[in-house]
Amino acid sequence: MCLAACGQKQQDVQNLALSQTPLPQDPLLQIYFNQSLTSSYTEPYRQQTRPGDDLEKLIAEALKSARSTVDIAVQEFRLPGIARELADRQRSGIKVRLIVEHMYNRPWSDYTAQELAKLPERERDRYNEFVQLADTNKDGKLSAEEIEQGDALVIVKNASIPVIDDTADGSKGSNLMHHKFIVIDSKTVIVTSANFTTSDVHGDFKTVASRGNANNLLKIENARLAQLFTQEFNIMWGDGPGGKPDSKFGIKKPFRQVQKIRVGTANVMVQFSPTAASLPWENSGNASIDRILSTANKSVNLALFVFSEQRLANTLEIASRRGVAVRALIDSNFIYRSYSEGLDMMGVTLSDNCQLKAENSPWQQPISTVGVSPLPMGDRLHHKFGVVDGNTVISGSHNWTKAANHGNDETLLAIESPVVAAHFEREFDRLYKGAILGIPAKIKQKIDAKQKECESRQAASKPPTATGNNAATKSPIAETKLINLNSASREELETLPGVGPKLAEKIIAARQNQPFKSWDDVERLSGIRKKTVEKWRDRVTF
């Protein structure tokens, strides 16, 4: 969703010319952005020439260099260009392995018409995107040859590439297998914020202006770093397809400390999530982010898909009070939700059913440098990066949420390098130019209306003053507190029938990826039965 105020800006963005000269790259640690203004490419599916780095081509070229092994862990794998390169590597004798999230481990071409009709609108859009991608002769039908050339998972299957997902541990799936990394020949690591989809890399086919969700890609040459990523991959892989359920995902994985590595002139920190909630928060990925933010002396610039971790917002508030210039861009679909720390930073609250999360803490000295970027129509701000003092970059697949911290399989990187930081600072400045900052009028009206509603409800729930003999007939108005699946804390979710810690974390992880809009969305989440849903109907809202 983009507010009307940025409509014209969205139309203008697609016409941006290449206006920036490339920055120097560290030969061992290179950074790319799919909406960069320093380069351009012709997108292979719509044949549109547009600004940006071709992330699919960069990945395919890196794969082409493989001589022994390729390991890929990515939430969603739908790009045929990468699939075809993997197939070539596999057929040439190179060992290729692939891990995906279980919700995306089925080729689109396998779905029946009846199944497609039952999909929610978002998933039907994804299917239609696939049809447009694979339908090379544009006759509206997919031939067997078009499927074999255009369905990435079919290409992988036909090449006999082994694939597992997060059900390989014997469960119905972890919270989210949210990694997006590649390890090549035990020496090259690619970490990106992008899923391997047209929407995340190139753009939505149904929107001409779309250039793909704003994402970044890092290519790092370092054997020790590659070893750490291979260890993470092997823990999840176990003995592979068809073996014993000895794979480990989510909190089943062993806890590992933060690792620090020297890559050329850069210091690189890597940490893999999740950290079980039973362990001290200080051991977690969000705590690592917190420690870096607390070192800020001059500036913090954030470009985040979603920001809902209260402790990080509290640390930023302290930094802001001591004079650190804090700027933040958050995706427009999440910035104005009740759980968004963007609201805290702007000094306002938006409750759900007149209930605030327990630790909610609007800033006493709000800032006006928080907002949304005027992206092309249909595109999302999918980055998960922060830059501290123009020197340290926080990036990876790890969203700044409790779900990423305690439930998902995630990669968190922190890189100390002014050369690397300069690239991310430029990307932030590009996104910040023309940003809609502060609270838009429509959101302010919503906040004010909600506040009045809550005040009225509070007044109505107070018991009337007892006078005379009718005091016994007066009683407070009973209110049933509804649980909002899109904003409730883990503790609140666990008050619902049948919800324990694991299912609560799974609900939180699912809503971070896509908010619940209907009971159909709820029933699609693994671990939730229809009987459970029936028990929730009078206790749950969206």
Side-chain angles (χ1 to χ4, degrees):
M1 175 190 76
C2 182
L3 300 173
C6 65
Q8 183 57 49
K9 291 176 183 175
Q10 287 181 320
Q11 298 304 316
D12 295 340
V13 174
Q14 63 175 316
N15 299 317
L16 287 175
L18 299 184
S19 56
Q20 298 174 332
T21 57
L23 292 171
Q25 290 269 27
D26 184 322
L28 300 178
L29 213 169
Q30 300 178 359
I31 308 95
Y32 301 93
F33 300 94
N34 67 326
Q35 291 197 12
S36 169
L37 297 181
T38 65
S39 60
S40 66
Y41 72 98
T42 300
E43 184 248 284
Y45 306 110
R46 295 175 295 181
Q47 298 301 311
Q48 293 182 353
T49 300
R50 37 71 60 89
D53 296 320
D54 186 344
L55 303 188
E56 182 178 14
K57 183 178 180 181
L58 286 164
I59 292 170
E61 288 178 345
L63 295 173
K64 196 181 294 290
S65 70
R67 295 295 176 264
S68 58
T69 59
V70 174
D71 291 333
I72 298 182
V74 63
Q75 180 185 6
E76 191 169 1
F77 184 88
R78 301 294 188 188
L79 291 175
I82 296 175
R84 287 192 286 267
E85 194 57 55
L86 284 180
D88 287 345
R89 298 299 90 202
Q90 175 79 358
R91 293 185 180 113
S92 67
I94 290 167
K95 182 181 178 182
V96 179
R97 301 185 294 178
L98 175 63
I99 300 176
V100 297
E101 158 65 30
H102 75 277
M103 292 185 291
Y104 305 112
N105 193 10
R106 185 179 177 189
W108 278 124
S109 54
D110 277 2
Y111 282 77
T112 66
Q114 292 78 10
E115 289 175 318
L116 291 170
K118 294 179 182 179
L119 290 177
E121 182 181 358
R122 180 171 179 267
E123 293 304 305
R124 286 199 300 274
D125 283 346
R126 287 169 175 261
Y127 174 79
N128 291 333
E129 190 98 337
F130 155 68
V131 172
Q132 292 183 60
L133 179 154
D135 184 16
T136 54
N137 65 5
K138 306 304 176 187
D139 65 353
K141 302 176 183 179
L142 293 183
S143 65
E145 182 180 357
E146 286 174 327
I147 289 172
E148 290 176 358
Q149 290 296 313
D151 193 325
L153 290 176
V154 170
I155 295 169
V156 165
K157 179 181 178 181
N158 289 344
S160 299
I161 294 172
V163 183
I164 69 167
D165 60 41
D166 51 319
T167 63
D169 61 1
S171 72
K172 293 183 178 180
S174 63
N175 281 18
L176 277 180
M177 204 303 294
H178 199 246
H179 279 310
K180 300 130 188 1
F181 72 75
I182 304 173
V183 185
I184 301 171
D185 292 345
S186 301
K187 65 179 182 179
T188 302
V189 177
I190 293 174
V191 179
T192 177
S193 61
N195 288 303
F196 294 1
T197 65
T198 51
S199 179
D200 250 10
V201 172
H202 301 298
D204 296 325
F205 289 1
K206 69 177 184 179
T207 306
V208 175
S210 173
R211 292 192 290 128
N213 299 332
N215 280 300
N216 62 81
L217 179 149
L218 295 101
K219 181 183 178 186
I220 308 172
E221 302 289 346
N222 183 273
R224 174 58 182 151
L225 187 69
Q227 181 183 37
L228 293 174
F229 275 87
T230 299
Q231 289 173 354
E232 169 74 359
F233 189 95
N234 286 338
I235 288 170
M236 296 185 294
W237 186 259
D239 55 9
K244 297 178 181 179
D246 61 352
S247 298
K248 293 180 175 64
F249 290 90
I251 59 174
K252 292 183 178 180
K253 295 186 302 186
F255 171 72
R256 281 150 295 154
Q257 298 284 350
V258 171
Q259 297 291 323
K260 296 181 179 179
I261 299 167
R262 188 76 171 174
V263 179
T265 60
N267 292 317
V268 177
M269 181 214 84
V270 61
Q271 186 168 9
F272 299 111
S273 294
T275 301
S278 59
L279 294 175
W281 186 82
E282 289 70 21
N283 293 344
S284 69
N286 280 353
S288 293
I289 296 173
D290 192 63
R291 284 189 287 272
I292 296 169
L293 295 178
S294 68
T295 68
N297 291 314
K298 297 180 295 183
S299 64
V300 176
N301 292 322
L302 309 176
L304 304 173
F305 183 53
V306 59
F307 183 17
S308 60
E309 176 61 271
Q310 185 69 51
R311 296 196 201 192
L312 301 184
N314 295 345
T315 296
L316 287 170
E317 181 180 17
I318 294 170
S320 179
R321 285 182 177 180
R322 68 170 188 265
V324 175
V326 177
R327 297 187 294 173
L329 297 172
I330 302 171
D331 184 68
S332 61
N333 199 43
F334 292 105
I335 186 171
Y336 307 123
R337 294 185 180 273
S338 60
Y339 52 76
S340 172
E341 298 308 328
L343 295 180
D344 273 17
M345 297 168 80
M346 293 183 282
V348 299
T349 61
L350 180 60
S351 66
D352 278 309
N353 294 303
C354 303
Q355 297 291 327
L356 297 173
K357 59 182 182 180
E359 68 271 26
N360 189 72
S361 181
W363 288 17
Q364 296 302 304
Q365 297 177 18
I367 57 176
S368 58
T369 50
V370 179
V372 298
S373 180
L375 294 170
M377 186 70 72
D379 292 346
R380 311 240 61 87
L381 179 66
H382 201 243
H383 287 304
K384 301 98 171 52
F385 77 75
V387 187
V388 176
D389 291 342
N391 182 71
T392 303
V393 173
I394 304 164
S395 191
S397 69
H398 186 109
N399 285 308
W400 293 23
T401 67
K402 289 182 179 179
N405 206 38
H406 294 312
N408 299 350
D409 298 293
E410 304 276 11
T411 302
L412 177 66
L413 291 177
I415 303 165
E416 294 179 8
S417 166
V419 174
V420 172
H423 287 264
F424 282 91
E425 289 277 64
R426 175 180 276 188
E427 172 71 356
F428 179 86
D429 289 340
R430 181 189 71 81
L431 293 165
Y432 195 76
K433 185 177 181 180
I436 301 169
L437 303 176
I439 302 292
K442 287 186 178 180
I443 301 300
K444 182 65 165 60
Q445 291 171 5
K446 181 179 179 180
I447 291 172
D448 291 344
K450 178 61 71 173
Q451 184 174 353
K452 289 181 180 179
E453 175 191 340
C454 293
E455 290 173 352
S456 298
R457 288 172 62 177
Q458 185 178 16
S461 67
K462 289 181 179 179
T465 303
T467 57
N469 294 328
N470 65 353
T473 64
K474 305 281 187 177
S475 62
I477 296 175
E479 248 184 83
T480 300
K481 177 187 172 184
L482 296 177
I483 301 296
N484 190 310
L485 287 188
N486 290 319
S487 60
S489 67
R490 188 182 64 171
E491 292 76 15
E492 290 172 324
L493 290 171
E494 288 179 22
T495 65
L496 293 172
V499 179
K502 184 174 180 180
L503 183 53
E505 291 290 354
K506 186 174 290 188
I507 292 169
I508 291 170
R511 77 191 187 196
Q512 301 289 11
N513 187 50
Q514 182 69 24
F516 294 101
K517 296 180 180 179
S518 67
W519 287 110
D520 287 341
D521 292 346
V522 177
E523 290 180 9
R524 288 189 184 92
L525 189 62
S526 63
I528 297 180
R529 301 180 179 180
K530 288 196 174 187
K531 289 183 179 179
T532 303
V533 169
E534 290 305 316
K535 295 178 182 178
W536 290 3
R537 288 194 182 273
D538 294 330
R539 302 183 61 175
V540 164
T541 186
F542 308 107

